[in-house]
Every structure is written in C-alpha cells, then in structure tokens.
Amino acid sequence: DAGVIQSPRHEVTEMGQEVTLRCKPISGHDYLFWYRQTMMRGLELLIYFNNNVPIDDSGMPEDRFSAKMPNASFSTLKIQPSEPRDSAVYFCASSTDRGENTGELFFGEGSRLTVL
Amino acid sequence: DAKTTQPPSMDCAEGRAANLPCNHSTISGNEYVYWYRQIHSQGPQYIIHGLKNNETNEMASLIITEDRKSSTLILPHATLRDTAVYYCIVRVGGAAGNKLTFGGGTRVLVKP
C-alpha cells in the first residue's frame, strides 16, 4: 500500500501566482481531507469530501482557495492568487468507514508551500 | 466534539515509560478518545483510540478513567524516535464525517 501521496513536496512561488496541490488517497478510501499547518494556527481542517462530494468546506479561508475531487483517486487544492500568508504545510488525509473501521485517518507527507 | 487539555511539553528518559495525560471533562457518552502523533516534518500518525475500556496495541497503551473525563497515553519504553508532538482528540466514532480537530498537543522530547 503506497499510502496517501501528495505532490509537490515543496513549492516556492511568488505572490499572485496560482498554486495547485495534488493528492492521491489510499485506494478504496471514500473520505478525503485537506489540512493546513502553520506555527501560529496549528493543524486546521480546510475541507473534506465523501465519495468525491464536498461535505464541509467551512475551514476554507476565503474564495482564493478551492478544492476539487473529480474522481475517487485524485483531489486538488488550488490557491489563486497566492499570498505570503498562505505559506504553510498542506496535508491530505484519507479514511473509510467500510470494513473494519477504527476511524483512523491516514495522512500524506504534506506539501510545504512558500509564497514570497 | 469535546475539548481536550494537554500539557504543552514534557521530557522523558530513553527506555523509561512516558505517561502523557489528557483531560476531556466534557466528553459525551458516544465520543471516543483518539491519540495521534506528529514526528517533525511528517504527517500525523494514528496511535490508538478507546471508548471506555483500556486499550493496548503495539505502539502504546491507553488508560481511560472510569468517569471518562481524562486519559493517559503510555509509551512503555520510550525511544529517541518517539520524540514528537502527541495529540489527544475526542470525537464521535466512525470514519469521518467526523473530522479530526487538532489542538496544541504535547511536545514530547525523549532524552538519552
């Protein structure tokens, strides 16, 4: 099992540029989460999907952020235009409530974004 | 989800047991206690969870008080690789419509 795969691992961009972060959840998982981590605010849930449908996007900071899940094996988090305060580590996680369910979330290694 | 309170940091000696406390005095009857840890620069990792009974797995033990208002995560023989931030989270069981809300956690430093 390859685990949750995120790309890119590191991204440095300039203010105003569009940023796209990508996530491939664990095969068979039907929940996908996007988190953001900063020193000031810790780990924050941005949005999560169930069966490719957004369920709760109340954590999305503003309209500059958007997330999509076109199919069960791929999700994107887009920031347009990016700002320096968006600099953070963005984590994707997946889970399932089928089979033996522990409620465990499996996290990817994160995408470290720096906006200059 | 009920709120949790953890000490911000603690040290422990390599090879000794590490006991990490967590208070969750407003926990509801259907809420579980989950523990995750985050090693530097990595994504959070699930450790263990429980409802009422004490639980043990290959990583740790979870002791929940009878009134369920507090719990303790025990790392039986701490190693240097256990240095991490440990998060205690209370949430309704089940995969996820029940999102995880992370607090500040306890920063554990295992010293040689």
Side-chain angles (χ1 to χ4, degrees):
Chain A
D1 190 340
V4 175
I5 300 172
Q6 293 187 244
S7 64
R9 291 294 310 278
H10 302 274
E11 173 97 4
V12 180
T13 190
E14 293 189 345
M15 183 173 64
Q17 296 299 306
E18 178 179 292
V19 173
T20 299
L21 307 178
R22 298 172 177 79
C23 176
K24 175 178 170 55
I26 292 173
S27 177
H29 281 189
D30 47 356
Y31 287 86
L32 184 139
F33 304 79
W34 282 101
Y35 282 85
R36 177 174 69 175
Q37 186 171 33
T38 61
M39 289 292 292
M40 291 294 293
R41 301 174 67 90
L43 268 164
E44 304 173 278
L45 177 66
L46 300 178
I47 185 172
Y48 78 92
F49 297 81
N50 178 217
N51 292 322
N52 313 336
V53 176
I55 302 301
D56 183 353
D57 65 354
S58 59
M60 295 286 263
E62 49 197 275
D63 292 345
R64 297 184 299 106
F65 285 69
S66 62
K68 294 182 180 180
M69 192 164 186
N71 57 62
S73 59
F74 184 66
S75 177
T76 60
L77 178 66
K78 187 172 294 187
I79 308 172
Q80 167 62 17
S82 58
E83 297 182 2
R85 60 189 167 128
D86 301 330
S87 297
V89 181
Y90 291 81
F91 289 102
C92 177
S94 70
S95 187
T96 182
D97 60 2
R98 291 194 285 258
E100 186 174 332
N101 167 33
T102 66
E104 176 181 358
L105 267 61
F106 294 81
F107 284 80
E109 291 298 310
S111 294
R112 180 175 296 275
L113 172 65
T114 302
V115 183
L116 304 175
Chain B
D1 292 340
K3 182 179 177 180
T4 62
T5 303
Q6 300 178 252
S9 64
M10 62 182 293
D11 295 346
C12 66
E14 185 180 20
R16 304 293 293 272
N19 297 294
L20 283 61
C22 180
N23 285 319
H24 31 79
S25 58
T26 61
I27 192 170
S28 299
N30 63 345
E31 289 182 314
Y32 288 72
V33 180
Y34 280 76
W35 283 84
Y36 278 71
R37 74 178 183 184
Q38 187 175 23
I39 296 171
H40 182 61
S41 297
Q42 298 182 18
Q45 175 191 26
Y46 166 85
I47 301 173
I48 197 167
H49 78 284
L51 181 63
K52 296 180 181 178
N53 300 322
N54 298 337
E55 302 288 344
T56 296
N57 63 20
E58 66 277 5
M59 291 182 68
S61 295
L62 174 60
I63 308 298
I64 303 173
T65 58
E66 191 168 344
D67 63 7
R68 303 210 320 124
K69 293 185 176 182
S70 67
S71 60
T72 301
L73 180 74
I74 300 172
L75 308 176
H77 304 286
T79 70
L80 299 179
R81 285 176 290 184
D82 291 323
T83 291
V85 178
Y86 288 77
Y87 297 98
C88 171
I89 302 164
V90 170
R91 56 169 258 191
V92 175
N98 311 298
K99 53 200 180 184
L100 286 180
T101 301
F102 289 83
T106 296
R107 188 172 298 274
V108 173
L109 176 61
V110 180
K111 296 182 175 180

